[in-house]
Amino acid sequence: MNYTTQMDAACKGIITDQMKDVLSSEKISESDLLKFMSEGKIVIPANKNHKNLKGIGIGKGLKTKVNVNLGVSKDCFNLDMEMKKVHKALEYKTDAIMDLSTFGDTQAFRKKLVETSPVMLGTVPIYDAVRQYIDKPIKDITVDEWFEITKRHIDDGIDFLTIHAGLTKEVVKRVKTNRRLTHVVSRGGSILMEWMEENNAENPFYEHFERLLDLCEESDVTLSLGDGLRPGCLKDSTDAPQIQELIMLGELTKQAWKRKVQVMIEGPGHVPLNEIAANMQLQKKLCHGAPFYVLGPLVTDIAPGYDHITSAIGGTLAAANGANFLCYVTPAEHLRLPNLDDMKEGIIAARIAAHAADIANGLPGAMDWDNKMSKARHDLDWKKQIELSIDPEKAKRYRESAQPIDEDVCSMCGEFCAVKRSNRVLDK
Amino acid sequence: MNYTTQMDAACKGIITDQMKDVLSSEKISESDLLKFMSEGKIVIPANKNHKNLKGIGIGKGLKTKVNVNLGVSKDCFNLDMEMKKVHKALEYKTDAIMDLSTFGDTQAFRKKLVETSPVMLGTVPIYDAVRQYIDKPIKDITVDEWFEITKRHIDDGIDFLTIHAGLTKEVVKRVKTNRRLTHVVSRGGSILMEWMEENNAENPFYEHFERLLDLCEESDVTLSLGDGLRPGCLKDSTDAPQIQELIMLGELTKQAWKRKVQVMIEGPGHVPLNEIAANMQLQKKLCHGAPFYVLGPLVTDIAPGYDHITSAIGGTLAAANGANFLCYVTPAEHLRLPNLDDMKEGIIAARIAAHAADIANGLPGAMDWDNKMSKARHDLDWKKQIELSIDPEKAKRYRESAQPIDEDVCSMCGEFCAVKRSNRVLDK
């Protein structure tokens, strides 16, 4: 191969197989794809060790993508169930899967995941490092050990890694001098902060960022620069610690791009609706147009059990203002690990948000699906309406549970059906 | 009484009992309330015949309110179930209930509803007129008969009436010359259009608007001017027919205000996210600041089974840009009449949207609830988190279904709990 990473290929004008995948599934021109990839505005996470991957692009001019988190913990340890979730996630058309496992033989599960999944995969290696070295205090994990686990994930074929390299000493200082209501809610962020504080040391991934880039470059792994200080509640949003970290992430982005390592930026979190557009603009500016991967944002803190909805609201507005990749949030968020049903609810909500934002962004062809559905509604064609639904099974189940006397209509309006009546008046 | 309507009272500087209710539940000053009510920017729907009503205000400077639709149809006729829905709707804290019944002894149900409900009630009298005169063609219903049924609803104590008075001959002409994908999706709109077309007559409620105002003034019934031409799909949104009708509604608003009859304006519908803010501004401008009552807006057409989510997204953005009153949409929308579970999902989604918008609008005190929840999260106080949840039952059920080994945390992160870890580092 005469290129290192997908970004390097784009800079050299080479169309990779993964780019061909993207061109066949999106309405973007070859020249725009090459241009945006060479500028870092589009990434195609594609680890060379993930053999059965179908390339999916994230970034400018492309459809908004969604990610599903799964993985086992000590409290919820059932690997069969977790593989079932993988298949369900693929069935419900996720664009990516992150494995956040923190217990058991994580490598065996990870390898099986790589073998199984045609969609890109992500992990957070420091979770796995803490699991690996659970018998010693976090502060005693060495720099080599952090990197060893990171390399293991790369060798196993993971396409993008969340690395909280921007949580520097300077940034930790900010979180001490600007007291928050919920401090640090990122698991990775809190682990690294503890390590740094107890060792009075700099963030190992910041200090040895070039070492990390060596690994990423070699296998073409995309860095998903983590937001260790994403706000954990509305009150903490858009505060000095969050923005300070974002500034660092912007600097690291440039450093990675020099090596043609692909970069995404992770973002908040809990954010009031009126601050979302500003957060997106700020990220795009400070991080030089790198793709933005957001968790939520949740627009209120008071709805545990319904955070797939609070995040669909925030996610739509985020993606309509620059976010490119939405991490799903399920009804179980803040309460427990999601089960299969939660996962389904989470994916559908995220896909609704992504699609609604694509329409708002005027993405070519985005509204075709809606127009087909509307035509089927006008035609009172129920078979087609159900086929075109984002979840045909649920739509069918609902309709069949309350069949109207008149098969043309639905049981909400029955003989009062406005579509039928207005067709009679206007289609004559 | 030395005033006719709540608006008339406000103009005369009289604080009514219903205004006192509003002042005790909102953070608005007496002078602002009087000012905005006298300008028509706040309404308190309060029929003099609805004796046990607790006054709730809708409009500028007040919390966004939510409405629940219910009512029986020929296909779903179970009055006991419908009364159960009323009690559930009140339990889940709806601010209003609309009874859209189209079958059976609607008056008996309506009277029971008025007796039962302390929250404001709305209806669409023309549905009931069509039911009443089901044995003759719609065109043969007389102007007196339309008004007779309308008066019946007023006498029974309904606080606000949806009247599609803006769907004039001029407006119907627009819907013929600007062909839509889904024509007319408002039941009321399609009924009136049929009546007008077949009789070659003007809209009876437009032509005899003063007669309607006489009735409204007498019992202080609020007009909810219906949007017969709300878009039924994204493609039809913000089109000439919709805006033409809105212009008419703005004129009728002024006419009603001359009589001190309170007015709300009903709005779309299906609207792409990027058109929502403009729609809200347009309504506020064309209708002189009258409160805006929206159904949805749904930001995509492809999610039957999940339209509580598509409308929560649109509703939040709408209410953050001027809408004051959100009609709930349930997962059953477009498929069947909602059952109890659907209703609950719909109310919670609408309340999340309303609350998130109040926060975005900087409404004084709106974020207090969130801050209390965030404090409980910081404190790892699970009892309090559940108490403060919008749906404590669901939050409790989720948490208890997967109890972690360590009672401090939840089964998502377990021993990886970032809150616990960062408290240890930062709260020392």
Side-chain angles (χ1 to χ4, degrees), chain A residues 75 138 179 183 194 233 300-302 304-306 336 342 370 374 389-391 394 398 401 405 421 427, chain B residues 75 138 179 183 194 233 300-302 304-306 336 342 370 374 389-391 394 398 401 405 421 427:
Chain A
D75 287 315
I138 281 176
R179 193 177 165 83
H183 296 320
E194 180 178 329
C233 64
T300 171
D301 302 323
I302 52 82
Y306 298 88
R336 71 168 190 217
D342 297 325
D370 300 71
S374 304
S389 295
I390 194 165
D391 180 2
K394 186 175 185 186
Y398 262 64
S401 69
I405 298 164
R421 192 181 304 275
D427 280 342
Chain B
D75 287 315
I138 282 177
R179 194 179 165 81
H183 296 321
E194 180 178 331
C233 64
T300 171
D301 303 323
I302 53 81
Y306 298 88
R336 70 168 190 215
D342 297 324
D370 300 72
S374 303
S389 295
I390 194 166
D391 180 3
K394 186 176 185 184
Y398 262 64
S401 68
I405 297 164
R421 194 181 303 278
D427 280 342

Side-chain angles (χ1 to χ4, degrees), chain A residues 161-273:
Chain A
L161 299 181
T162 295
I163 303 282
H164 303 82
L167 188 69
T168 63
K169 282 177 102 165
E170 177 73 20
V171 174
V172 172
K173 200 174 85 186
R174 285 275 120 65
V175 85
K176 288 181 182 169
T177 51
N178 296 271
R179 193 177 165 83
R180 291 177 143 191
L181 189 49
T182 57
H183 296 320
V184 179
V185 298
S186 150
R187 281 183 278 181
S190 67
I191 290 166
L192 282 173
M193 182 176 68
E194 180 178 329
W195 189 90
M196 290 160 66
E197 284 293 294
E198 301 206 347
N199 290 309
N200 190 25
E202 186 48 281
N203 182 323
F205 294 102
Y206 180 77
E207 194 166 7
H208 307 283
F209 195 62
E210 288 293 330
R211 181 173 171 184
L212 182 65
L213 295 179
D214 290 341
L215 297 176
C216 290
E217 184 192 31
E218 194 186 338
S219 301
D220 193 5
V221 164
T222 298
L223 276 177
S224 188
L225 292 174
D227 54 336
L229 295 187
R230 70 167 174 271
C233 64
L234 297 192
K235 186 143 194 301
D236 293 342
S237 81
T238 328
D239 71 348
Q242 180 199 325
I243 306 306
Q244 180 72 66
E245 186 183 31
L246 193 62
I247 290 171
M248 305 312 293
L249 297 183
E251 291 186 2
L252 292 170
T253 299
K254 278 194 171 173
Q255 199 176 330
W257 284 350
K258 275 193 193 150
R259 303 281 301 274
K260 309 295 179 207
V261 167
Q262 302 188 94
V263 177
M264 299 186 280
I265 308 295
E266 295 185 11
H270 293 232
V271 184
L273 191 83

Side-chain angles (χ1 to χ4, degrees), chain A residues 73-76 102 127 130-131 134 138 175-176 179 181-187 190-191 193-194 197 233-235 270 272-274 299-310 312-313 316-317 320 331-338 342 344-345 348-349 352-353 355-356 359-360 367 369-371 373-375 377-378 382 385 388-391 394-395 398-399 401-405 410-416 418-419 421-427, chain B residues 73-76 102 127 130-131 134 138 175-176 179 181-187 190-191 193-194 197 233-235 270 272-274 299-310 312-313 316-317 320 331-338 342 344-345 348-349 352-353 355-356 359-360 367 369-371 373-375 377-378 382 385 388-391 394-395 398-399 401-402 404-405 410-416 418-419 421-427:
Chain A
S73 71
K74 195 171 173 182
D75 287 315
C76 283
T102 55
Y127 295 179
V130 174
R131 177 205 58 81
I134 192 75
I138 281 176
V175 85
K176 288 181 182 169
R179 193 177 165 83
L181 189 49
T182 57
H183 296 320
V184 179
V185 298
S186 150
R187 281 183 278 181
S190 67
I191 290 166
M193 182 176 68
E194 180 178 329
E197 284 293 294
C233 64
L234 297 192
K235 186 143 194 301
H270 293 232
L273 191 83
N274 56 313
V299 294
T300 171
D301 302 323
I302 52 82
Y306 298 88
D307 279 327
H308 59 309
I309 297 180
T310 65
I313 296 168
T316 310
L317 205 67
E333 186 76 20
H334 298 110
L335 295 168
R336 71 168 190 217
L337 272 184
D342 297 325
K344 179 182 167 182
E345 291 287 313
I348 302 265
I352 287 171
H355 179 65
I359 291 169
M367 229 170 80
W369 184 7
D370 300 71
N371 292 344
M373 175 65 90
S374 304
K375 173 77 166 55
R377 284 190 170 135
H378 166 271
W382 288 91
Q385 287 179 54
L388 286 166
S389 295
I390 194 165
D391 180 2
K394 186 175 185 186
Y398 262 64
R399 171 146 175 89
S401 69
Q403 203 72 34
I405 298 164
C410 89
S411 70
M412 180 174 266
C413 304
E415 59 201 325
F416 283 74
V419 173
R421 192 181 304 275
S422 69
N423 286 357
R424 221 158 42 211
V425 175
L426 295 172
D427 280 342
Chain B
S73 71
K74 194 171 175 183
D75 287 315
C76 285
T102 56
Y127 296 179
V130 174
R131 177 205 58 80
I134 194 73
I138 282 177
V175 86
K176 289 180 182 170
R179 194 179 165 81
L181 189 50
T182 56
H183 296 321
V184 179
V185 298
S186 149
R187 280 183 278 180
S190 68
I191 290 166
M193 182 176 67
E194 180 178 331
E197 284 293 296
C233 64
L234 298 191
K235 186 141 194 300
H270 294 234
L273 191 82
N274 57 312
V299 293
T300 171
D301 303 323
I302 53 81
Y306 298 88
D307 279 327
H308 59 309
I309 297 180
T310 65
I313 295 168
T316 310
L317 204 68
E333 187 75 20
H334 297 110
L335 295 167
R336 70 168 190 215
L337 271 184
D342 297 324
K344 177 181 169 183
E345 290 287 313
I348 302 265
I352 287 171
H355 179 65
I359 292 168
M367 229 170 79
W369 184 6
D370 300 72
N371 292 343
M373 174 65 89
S374 303
K375 173 78 166 52
R377 285 190 169 133
H378 166 271
W382 288 92
Q385 286 178 57
L388 286 165
S389 295
I390 194 166
D391 180 3
K394 186 176 185 184
Y398 262 64
R399 171 147 175 89
S401 68
I405 297 164
C410 88
S411 70
M412 179 173 267
C413 304
E415 59 201 324
F416 283 74
V419 173
R421 194 181 303 278
S422 69
N423 286 355
R424 220 155 48 209
V425 175
L426 295 172
D427 280 342

